[in-house]
Amino acid sequence: MTTGEDKTSDQTLQCLTTEHFVLQTARSATIQEANSRADLFLTAVSSATVALAFVAQVTRMGQPFVFFSLILLPCLYFIGIVTFVRAVQVAIEDMVLARGMARIRHYFVETAPGVEKYLIHSRHDDDEALLVSKALRSSHWQSFMSTAGMVSVVASVIAGAFAGVLAKAVAVLGIVPATGIGMLVFAVSVFALRRYQEARWNAVEHMLDVRFPSTTAASRGAGRSDERVESTPEHNRASL
Protein backbone atom coordinates (compact mmCIF):
# COMPACT_ATOMS: atom_id res chain seq x y z
CA MET A 1 0.00 0.00 0.00
CA THR A 2 1.27 3.46 -0.87
CA THR A 3 1.85 5.61 2.18
CA GLY A 4 1.06 9.29 2.38
CA GLU A 5 4.76 10.16 2.36
CA ASP A 6 5.39 8.15 -0.81
CA LYS A 7 2.39 9.76 -2.47
CA THR A 8 3.65 13.23 -1.59
CA SER A 9 7.10 12.35 -2.94
CA ASP A 10 5.61 11.09 -6.20
CA GLN A 11 3.54 14.25 -6.57
CA THR A 12 6.58 16.42 -5.90
CA LEU A 13 8.61 14.50 -8.48
CA GLN A 14 5.83 14.85 -11.02
CA CYS A 15 5.52 18.59 -10.39
CA LEU A 16 9.26 19.15 -10.70
CA THR A 17 9.45 17.04 -13.86
CA THR A 18 6.69 19.17 -15.37
CA GLU A 19 8.50 22.33 -14.24
CA HIS A 20 11.72 21.07 -15.83
CA PHE A 21 9.90 20.60 -19.12
CA VAL A 22 8.39 24.09 -18.88
CA LEU A 23 11.82 25.63 -18.20
CA GLN A 24 13.34 23.72 -21.11
CA THR A 25 10.60 24.97 -23.43
CA ALA A 26 11.10 28.53 -22.19
CA ARG A 27 14.85 28.30 -22.85
CA SER A 28 14.16 27.17 -26.41
CA ALA A 29 11.87 30.18 -26.85
CA THR A 30 14.53 32.60 -25.57
CA ILE A 31 17.14 31.19 -27.95
CA GLN A 32 14.71 31.42 -30.85
CA GLU A 33 13.85 35.03 -30.01
CA ALA A 34 17.50 36.04 -29.74
CA ASN A 35 18.32 34.43 -33.09
CA SER A 36 15.30 35.96 -34.83
CA ARG A 37 16.07 39.46 -33.53
CA ALA A 38 19.71 39.16 -34.57
CA ASP A 39 18.63 37.94 -38.03
CA LEU A 40 16.27 40.90 -38.36
CA PHE A 41 19.03 43.35 -37.45
CA LEU A 42 21.63 41.79 -39.76
CA THR A 43 19.11 41.67 -42.59
CA ALA A 44 18.44 45.39 -42.12
CA VAL A 45 22.18 46.11 -42.13
CA SER A 46 22.70 44.03 -45.26
CA SER A 47 19.83 45.73 -47.10
CA ALA A 48 21.05 49.17 -46.06
CA THR A 49 24.57 48.38 -47.22
CA VAL A 50 23.29 47.39 -50.66
CA ALA A 51 21.20 50.56 -50.81
CA LEU A 52 24.19 52.70 -49.86
CA ALA A 53 26.29 51.01 -52.53
CA PHE A 54 23.69 51.79 -55.21
CA VAL A 55 23.37 55.41 -54.11
CA ALA A 56 27.15 55.80 -53.99
CA GLN A 57 27.44 54.43 -57.51
CA VAL A 58 24.73 56.66 -58.90
CA THR A 59 25.81 59.87 -57.14
CA ARG A 60 29.57 59.13 -57.33
CA MET A 61 29.84 59.63 -53.56
CA GLY A 62 28.40 63.12 -53.81
CA GLN A 63 26.21 65.15 -51.49
CA PRO A 64 23.08 63.00 -52.02
CA PHE A 65 25.04 59.98 -50.81
CA VAL A 66 26.15 61.88 -47.70
CA PHE A 67 22.58 62.99 -46.92
CA PHE A 68 21.28 59.47 -47.49
CA SER A 69 23.95 58.05 -45.17
CA LEU A 70 23.22 60.57 -42.43
CA ILE A 71 19.56 59.56 -42.51
CA LEU A 72 19.97 55.80 -42.84
CA LEU A 73 22.84 55.06 -40.46
CA PRO A 74 21.16 56.47 -37.30
CA CYS A 75 18.11 54.33 -38.05
CA LEU A 76 20.30 51.25 -38.28
CA TYR A 77 22.06 52.15 -35.05
CA PHE A 78 18.69 52.50 -33.30
CA ILE A 79 17.67 49.04 -34.51
CA GLY A 80 21.01 47.72 -33.30
CA ILE A 81 20.64 49.26 -29.84
CA VAL A 82 17.14 47.91 -29.22
CA THR A 83 18.24 44.51 -30.54
CA PHE A 84 21.24 44.56 -28.22
CA VAL A 85 19.18 45.51 -25.16
CA ARG A 86 16.63 42.79 -25.85
CA ALA A 87 19.39 40.23 -26.49
CA VAL A 88 20.85 41.03 -23.07
CA GLN A 89 17.42 40.62 -21.47
CA VAL A 90 16.85 37.31 -23.24
CA ALA A 91 20.29 36.03 -22.23
CA ILE A 92 19.56 36.89 -18.60
CA GLU A 93 16.24 35.07 -18.83
CA ASP A 94 18.06 32.04 -20.20
CA MET A 95 20.56 32.14 -17.34
CA VAL A 96 17.77 32.23 -14.76
CA LEU A 97 16.00 29.33 -16.46
CA ALA A 98 19.23 27.34 -16.55
CA ARG A 99 19.68 27.80 -12.81
CA GLY A 100 16.12 26.62 -12.23
CA MET A 101 16.78 23.45 -14.20
CA ALA A 102 19.98 22.86 -12.24
CA ARG A 103 18.05 23.06 -8.97
CA ILE A 104 15.57 20.47 -10.22
CA ARG A 105 18.43 18.16 -11.20
CA HIS A 106 19.76 18.59 -7.68
CA TYR A 107 16.43 17.34 -6.33
CA PHE A 108 16.63 14.33 -8.63
CA VAL A 109 20.06 13.49 -7.22
CA GLU A 110 18.84 13.98 -3.65
CA THR A 111 15.88 11.68 -4.29
CA ALA A 112 17.87 9.04 -6.19
CA PRO A 113 21.65 9.52 -5.68
CA GLY A 114 22.41 6.78 -8.19
CA VAL A 115 21.24 8.90 -11.14
CA GLU A 116 24.01 11.48 -10.74
CA LYS A 117 26.47 9.51 -12.85
CA TYR A 118 23.97 9.57 -15.74
CA LEU A 119 23.53 13.36 -15.73
CA ILE A 120 25.59 15.41 -18.17
CA HIS A 121 24.65 18.89 -16.98
CA SER A 122 25.51 20.18 -13.53
CA ARG A 123 23.19 19.84 -10.56
CA HIS A 124 24.70 22.98 -8.96
CA ASP A 125 23.20 26.41 -9.59
CA ASP A 126 26.30 28.60 -9.28
CA ASP A 127 27.77 30.28 -12.33
CA GLU A 128 31.01 28.26 -12.37
CA ALA A 129 29.16 24.95 -12.41
CA LEU A 130 26.93 26.11 -15.27
CA LEU A 131 29.98 27.16 -17.28
CA VAL A 132 31.75 23.83 -16.68
CA SER A 133 28.64 21.93 -17.77
CA LYS A 134 28.90 23.76 -21.10
CA ALA A 135 32.67 23.13 -21.40
CA LEU A 136 33.30 26.88 -21.08
CA ARG A 137 35.47 29.00 -18.83
CA SER A 138 35.40 32.57 -17.67
CA SER A 139 36.98 35.00 -20.13
CA HIS A 140 37.02 38.74 -20.73
CA TRP A 141 36.20 38.03 -24.38
CA GLN A 142 33.33 35.64 -23.68
CA SER A 143 30.70 38.38 -23.76
CA PHE A 144 31.50 39.02 -27.44
CA MET A 145 30.66 35.38 -28.23
CA SER A 146 27.03 35.92 -27.26
CA THR A 147 24.32 37.31 -29.51
CA ALA A 148 24.30 40.58 -27.58
CA GLY A 149 28.07 40.92 -27.94
CA MET A 150 27.94 40.35 -31.69
CA VAL A 151 25.14 42.88 -32.13
CA SER A 152 27.02 45.45 -30.02
CA VAL A 153 30.07 45.28 -32.30
CA VAL A 154 28.03 45.57 -35.53
CA ALA A 155 26.00 48.45 -34.10
CA SER A 156 29.20 50.18 -33.00
CA VAL A 157 30.60 49.87 -36.52
CA ILE A 158 27.49 51.66 -37.77
CA ALA A 159 27.97 54.38 -35.15
CA GLY A 160 31.58 54.81 -36.20
CA ALA A 161 30.65 55.02 -39.88
CA PHE A 162 28.01 57.65 -39.11
CA ALA A 163 30.48 59.70 -37.06
CA GLY A 164 33.06 59.54 -39.83
CA VAL A 165 30.60 60.63 -42.52
CA LEU A 166 29.26 63.39 -40.30
CA ALA A 167 32.75 64.67 -39.48
CA LYS A 168 33.74 64.74 -43.13
CA ALA A 169 30.53 66.42 -44.24
CA VAL A 170 30.10 69.01 -41.48
CA ALA A 171 33.66 69.75 -40.37
CA VAL A 172 35.05 69.21 -43.90
CA LEU A 173 37.82 67.02 -42.53
CA GLY A 174 40.14 64.83 -44.53
CA ILE A 175 39.69 61.10 -44.83
CA VAL A 176 42.30 60.32 -42.18
CA PRO A 177 40.88 62.56 -39.39
CA ALA A 178 37.34 61.45 -40.23
CA THR A 179 38.41 57.81 -40.03
CA GLY A 180 40.08 58.48 -36.69
CA ILE A 181 36.89 60.02 -35.32
CA GLY A 182 34.90 57.05 -36.59
CA MET A 183 37.25 54.59 -34.90
CA LEU A 184 37.04 56.56 -31.65
CA VAL A 185 33.24 56.52 -31.70
CA PHE A 186 33.32 52.79 -32.46
CA ALA A 187 35.55 52.11 -29.45
CA VAL A 188 33.42 54.28 -27.14
CA SER A 189 30.24 52.55 -28.30
CA VAL A 190 31.67 49.06 -27.77
CA PHE A 191 32.91 50.02 -24.31
CA ALA A 192 29.60 51.61 -23.28
CA LEU A 193 27.52 48.65 -24.48
CA ARG A 194 29.84 46.19 -22.77
CA ARG A 195 29.55 48.09 -19.51
CA TYR A 196 25.77 48.05 -19.82
CA GLN A 197 25.78 44.30 -20.42
CA GLU A 198 28.02 43.67 -17.41
CA ALA A 199 25.95 45.96 -15.18
CA ARG A 200 22.73 44.16 -16.07
CA TRP A 201 24.30 40.75 -15.49
CA ASN A 202 25.79 41.79 -12.16
CA ALA A 203 22.49 43.24 -10.97
CA VAL A 204 20.61 40.03 -11.70
CA GLU A 205 23.32 37.67 -10.44
CA HIS A 206 23.48 39.49 -7.11
CA MET A 207 19.72 39.15 -6.72
CA LEU A 208 19.83 35.37 -7.23
CA ASP A 209 20.64 33.15 -4.28
CA VAL A 210 22.95 30.21 -4.94
CA ARG A 211 21.25 27.39 -3.04
CA PHE A 212 23.32 24.44 -4.28
CA PRO A 213 26.85 25.70 -4.96
CA SER A 214 29.61 23.50 -6.29
CA THR A 215 32.63 22.68 -4.14
CA THR A 216 34.73 25.49 -5.64
CA ALA A 217 32.01 28.09 -5.25
CA ALA A 218 31.22 26.95 -1.72
CA SER A 219 34.85 27.24 -0.64
CA ARG A 220 35.13 30.66 -2.25
CA GLY A 221 32.03 31.86 -0.41
CA ALA A 222 32.99 30.36 2.96
CA GLY A 223 33.07 32.75 5.88
CA ARG A 224 30.46 35.12 4.52
CA SER A 225 27.47 36.05 6.61
CA ASP A 226 24.98 35.14 3.89
CA GLU A 227 24.78 32.22 1.47
CA ARG A 228 25.19 34.33 -1.62
CA VAL A 229 28.24 33.56 -3.76
CA GLU A 230 30.18 36.30 -5.49
CA SER A 231 30.19 36.14 -9.27
CA THR A 232 32.26 37.81 -11.93
CA PRO A 233 30.76 39.75 -14.84
CA GLU A 234 32.32 37.39 -17.40
CA HIS A 235 30.39 34.29 -16.29
CA ASN A 236 27.53 32.79 -18.29
CA ARG A 237 27.98 35.10 -21.27
CA ALA A 238 27.57 32.33 -23.85
CA SER A 239 24.02 31.33 -23.07
CA LEU A 240 22.74 32.97 -26.21
Side-chain angles (χ1 to χ4, degrees):
M1 180 179 294
T2 304
T3 63
E5 183 177 352
D6 292 337
K7 185 177 181 180
T8 302
S9 178
D10 292 340
Q11 291 176 345
T12 302
L13 182 60
Q14 182 179 2
C15 292
L16 289 179
T17 302
T18 303
E19 177 68 9
H20 189 278
F21 174 76
V22 171
L23 293 177
Q24 185 178 15
T25 304
R27 290 196 70 188
S28 300
T30 58
I31 295 173
Q32 183 178 2
E33 180 181 356
N35 291 337
S36 62
R37 283 180 172 268
D39 289 342
L40 177 63
F41 171 59
L42 294 179
T43 300
V45 173
S46 178
S47 301
T49 302
V50 173
L52 285 172
F54 278 127
V55 174
Q57 185 177 7
V58 172
T59 63
R60 298 184 181 275
M61 303 289 289
Q63 288 296 327
F65 169 76
V66 174
F67 293 149
F68 186 69
S69 301
L70 294 179
I71 294 174
L72 184 61
L73 293 179
C75 297
L76 288 178
Y77 187 65
F78 170 77
I79 298 175
I81 290 299
V82 296
T83 303
F84 165 78
V85 172
R86 183 54 188 161
V88 172
Q89 294 174 351
V90 168
I92 292 175
E93 292 176 11
D94 182 76
M95 179 267 292
V96 175
L97 296 173
R99 292 198 178 194
M101 295 174 67
R103 292 179 180 180
I104 295 176
R105 284 193 295 270
H106 196 280
Y107 175 81
F108 293 158
V109 174
E110 286 181 341
T111 305
V115 305
E116 183 174 10
K117 60 183 179 181
Y118 300 104
L119 298 178
I120 295 178
H121 294 287
S122 174
R123 62 184 178 89
H124 303 287
D125 61 343
D126 59 274
D127 45 16
E128 287 188 358
L130 293 176
L131 282 174
V132 171
S133 67
K134 295 182 179 181
L136 300 173
R137 63 179 181 178
S138 176
S139 170
H140 290 286
W141 300 101
Q142 192 60 49
S143 61
F144 294 108
M145 309 301 175
S146 64
T147 302
M150 177 197 68
V151 171
S152 69
V153 173
V154 178
S156 298
V157 170
I158 296 173
F162 171 75
V165 173
L166 184 64
K168 194 173 188 308
V170 176
V172 196
L173 298 177
I175 187 65
V176 175
T179 302
I181 292 176
M183 293 178 63
L184 178 62
V185 171
F186 164 77
V188 171
S189 178
V190 169
F191 177 77
L193 295 179
R194 178 182 171 87
R195 289 297 300 271
Y196 172 84
Q197 185 177 3
E198 290 182 355
R200 293 300 304 155
W201 273 89
N202 284 336
V204 175
E205 286 183 343
H206 281 80
M207 289 189 298
L208 293 175
D209 290 327
V210 178
R211 299 181 180 178
F212 308 108
S214 59
T215 304
T216 304
S219 61
R220 188 176 71 244
R224 298 186 58 184
S225 58
D226 56 359
E227 296 181 357
R228 202 170 299 216
V229 180
E230 281 292 334
S231 58
T232 59
E234 286 25 334
H235 288 159
N236 288 317
R237 294 293 190 264
S239 297
L240 288 176

